Amino acid sequence: MTMNRPPWKARRRRIDLALVFCAVLIVWMLWRGDDTALASSAINACFLLAGTLLSVYTGAAVVDDRNVMQHMGPQAFEDEEPLP
């Protein structure tokens, strides 16, 4: 059974876009200066989302690398281009 390496480039783009969205929303809410419960909740939710994204991204990478190593062996991570 052959298994191609995962498309990490596409995953990184999605994570980066979500983190940029969180950062922009936090900066925008702080710049507006609204000291309301809604603004506070939005900022807290963005920090929580960013932390969750980073935790899941790194955890999923470890699990995925382990699975790739089990199926493809050590040659899976040689310095070569991924298979199409």
Side-chain angles (χ1 to χ4, degrees), residues 2-75:
T2 60
M3 180 174 150
N4 292 337
R5 290 174 59 185
W8 282 107
K9 189 175 186 177
R11 294 177 191 181
R12 273 193 297 272
R13 282 189 192 138
R14 290 182 198 123
I15 295 295
D16 290 344
L17 286 174
L19 291 174
V20 166
F21 171 76
C22 289
V24 167
L25 188 61
I26 289 169
V27 168
W28 182 65
M29 294 297 278
L30 291 174
W31 179 73
R32 283 186 50 180
D34 292 340
D35 191 18
T36 63
L38 179 60
S40 178
S41 294
I43 290 172
N44 287 337
C46 283
F47 276 116
L48 184 63
L49 176 61
T52 302
L53 284 172
L54 291 172
S55 298
V56 169
Y57 180 73
T58 54
V62 170
V63 170
D64 195 45
D65 287 349
R66 183 180 54 102
N67 290 338
V68 169
M69 286 289 286
Q70 285 178 348
H71 292 291
M72 294 182 70
Q75 70 274 12

